[in-house]
Amino acid sequence: MEAFLYLEDGTVYKGKGFGYKGTAFGEIVFNTSMTGYQEILTDPSYAGQIITLTYPLIGNYGVNEKFNESFKSFARGLVVKSISNTPSNYMSMESIDQMLKNMGVVGIYDVDTRSITRKIRNGGSLKCIITNEFTLDEVDDEKNFFKDALFKIIKNEKDDYMKKVGTKNKYRIEGKGFRVALLDFGVKQNIIRNLVKRNCDITVFPYYAKYDEIISINPQGILLSNGPGDPKCAVEAIETVKKLIGKVPIFGICMGHQVLSLAFGADTYKMKYGHRGGNHGVKDLKKDRCYITSQNHGYAVNVKSLENTGLIVTHINLNDETVEGLRHVSLPVFSVQFHPEGAPGPNDSEYLFDEFINLMDKEWHHESKI
């Protein structure tokens, strides 16, 4: 079937459709990972977005639900150069085409993904429409419809995706180690797996949970998860984190890193086109060592806003020197912009989960102080 991609600057890309048959609207972004299309599609941080994968062949090792980062995909569309519907992998359960159909994600392939990526890099983030349910003649007839729809997206779409993708109810994953309260902005399952691997007793809260509810479990550590959208939308969490600061060790990842910064009085801003991929170089300033990291974010912390917050930069991005990590000068608080859980990307930075455990061990010695 025919498929079309419309960018807000007027550019039209014609290709072929796959996956769910329909029309989707959203911000188009690109990811430079060579593997991990399944994990990318099920990462809740892509909520409301159309994902362009720069690697040219997608689907060749199939799909297995055990590698999902969430129970479904919250992305609205997928743009690729070419797809494989005959995966070669003994673990494969279905094709990527079938996965998209099952999860309601509109797909388009046989388009120039390099051109799309260069356009985003040069001009910044763009809104778009992706459709595989119209013929070319129908699309020409519907141009005004598409223009009107884009206008509405650009002007009116201010959804709090964190509330859509995060848990609505508190739940517990029992363990024999430290009690961790995890605020769910759209948590990836591999973050939870890393805590489970370290025997943590985890209680997952909606990100807007109240301070008293969180403290009621007598947590020995707080983990602020990743999630989609603008961190300034998480107003309830910012106020709650302000109250938690100094009470218990805190570790923030991606969205959690940004929310933590806002709670300390720093500022965040929307980047030109963000960082998304499994091959981003980051330097740990304290260790004077570089790591390859997995990243997915469209906002960053303004380094100039850190003055008088007590936060100092611990990691920087090697491409654009944006802030990739912070810690407080005296309190047991630290955060990173990248994803230390990283699967199926690099796992160089999993040591940060061990640092979180060590921080709780140092602070609590296995005994609650709240």
Side-chain angles (χ1 to χ4, degrees):
M1 53 186 168
E2 289 184 320
F4 304 90
L5 174 65
Y6 291 78
L7 302 183
E8 67 176 284
D9 68 355
T11 308
V12 180
Y13 291 90
K14 179 183 176 182
K16 299 173 183 176
F18 73 110
Y20 183 77
K21 187 174 182 179
T23 300
F25 314 96
E27 179 185 35
I28 189 166
V29 299
F30 65 87
N31 185 297
T32 57
S33 296
M34 296 177 68
T35 61
Y37 48 82
Q38 179 181 344
E39 289 86 344
I40 291 166
L41 280 164
T42 54
D43 180 350
S45 294
Y46 282 107
Q49 294 179 325
I50 311 293
I51 307 168
T52 300
L53 297 178
T54 61
Y55 191 72
L57 176 60
I58 301 300
N60 55 316
Y61 56 85
V63 171
N64 185 311
E65 64 180 12
K66 72 177 289 185
F67 299 116
N68 286 350
E69 290 289 357
S70 183
F71 68 94
K72 60 168 286 187
S73 176
F74 295 95
R76 292 177 177 169
L78 182 67
V79 183
V80 300
K81 176 62 179 174
S82 58
I83 59 168
S84 170
N85 282 315
T86 54
S88 177
N89 179 0
Y90 77 98
M91 295 182 70
S92 177
M93 299 172 64
E94 61 184 10
S95 68
I96 189 169
D97 178 56
Q98 190 60 50
M99 177 188 177
L100 265 58
K101 287 177 180 174
N102 294 342
M103 293 191 173
V105 179
V106 180
I108 179 174
Y109 74 100
D110 200 20
V111 294
D112 189 347
T113 52
R114 180 177 175 82
S115 169
I116 295 167
T117 301
R118 286 172 63 89
K119 185 175 285 291
I120 298 170
R121 282 184 60 91
N122 293 335
S125 62
L126 294 164
K127 303 294 185 182
C128 77
I129 296 173
I130 179 175
T131 179
N132 58 21
E133 62 178 342
F134 294 104
T135 66
L136 182 57
D137 290 338
E138 290 172 324
V139 167
D140 286 338
D141 292 340
E142 296 286 351
K143 278 184 177 177
N144 288 331
F145 162 76
F146 287 123
K147 289 179 181 178
D148 290 345
L150 274 175
F151 180 79
K152 287 181 180 179
I153 292 170
I154 295 165
K155 297 295 183 182
N156 300 323
E157 187 168 58
K158 297 180 181 178
D159 286 346
D160 183 350
Y161 291 114
M162 291 172 276
K163 284 184 178 174
K164 291 186 176 182
V165 305
T167 186
K168 307 297 186 294
N169 301 297
K170 179 178 73 173
Y171 64 93
R172 183 181 177 194
I173 302 170
E174 293 189 30
K176 296 182 179 180
F178 289 106
R179 291 183 302 279
V180 175
L182 191 158
L183 269 62
D184 181 5
F185 298 89
V187 67
K188 291 172 64 178
Q189 286 303 301
N190 213 42
I191 289 177
I192 294 176
R193 293 184 193 111
N194 269 279
L195 293 177
V196 169
K197 186 166 69 174
R198 291 162 176 82
N199 300 314
C200 292
D201 188 321
I202 309 159
T203 302
V204 182
F205 292 88
Y207 87 77
Y208 44 85
K210 302 297 184 183
Y211 169 83
D212 290 341
E213 184 181 4
I214 296 169
I215 288 299
S216 70
I217 72 160
N218 202 18
Q220 294 169 293
I222 305 289
L223 194 147
L224 310 176
S225 84
N226 66 292
D230 185 344
K232 292 178 181 177
C233 290
V235 177
E236 302 102 320
I238 294 168
E239 293 304 312
T240 298
V241 172
K242 286 180 182 178
K243 297 177 182 178
L244 290 168
I245 290 170
K247 301 287 197 308
V248 61
I250 302 176
F251 176 28
I253 296 174
C254 198
M255 175 62 73
H257 159 82
Q258 297 163 4
V259 168
L260 188 63
S261 301
L262 291 168
F264 273 101
D267 193 20
T268 57
Y269 65 95
K270 185 172 176 61
M271 305 172 75
K272 183 177 180 181
Y273 50 82
H275 296 157
R276 297 174 180 88
N279 46 12
H280 289 259
V282 165
K283 183 175 183 180
D284 183 325
L285 299 177
K286 182 179 179 180
K287 294 184 177 182
D288 192 27
R289 179 176 174 180
C290 296
Y291 297 90
I292 300 300
T293 68
S294 178
Q295 303 205 9
N296 175 17
H297 61 100
Y299 291 80
V301 175
N302 185 337
V303 66
K304 294 180 180 178
S305 72
L306 295 173
E307 189 175 354
N308 299 321
T309 64
L311 297 172
I312 60 173
V313 178
T314 58
H315 299 73
I316 61 169
N317 189 285
L318 291 173
N319 293 323
D320 58 14
E321 297 187 345
T322 50
V323 177
E324 291 281 0
L326 296 167
R327 70 173 175 84
H328 194 272
V329 293
S330 59
L331 298 172
V333 173
F334 73 108
S335 63
V336 290
Q337 181 65 79
F338 53 91
H339 287 263
E341 80 286 352
N347 56 15
D348 305 28
S349 50
E350 275 193 10
Y351 72 90
L352 290 163
F353 288 100
D354 296 322
E355 289 194 1
F356 182 43
I357 299 296
N358 293 337
L359 192 62
M360 289 188 287
D361 187 47
K362 179 180 178 181
E363 186 72 12
W364 296 101
H365 299 291
H366 302 282
E367 293 182 5
S368 172
K369 298 189 334 188
I370 293 180

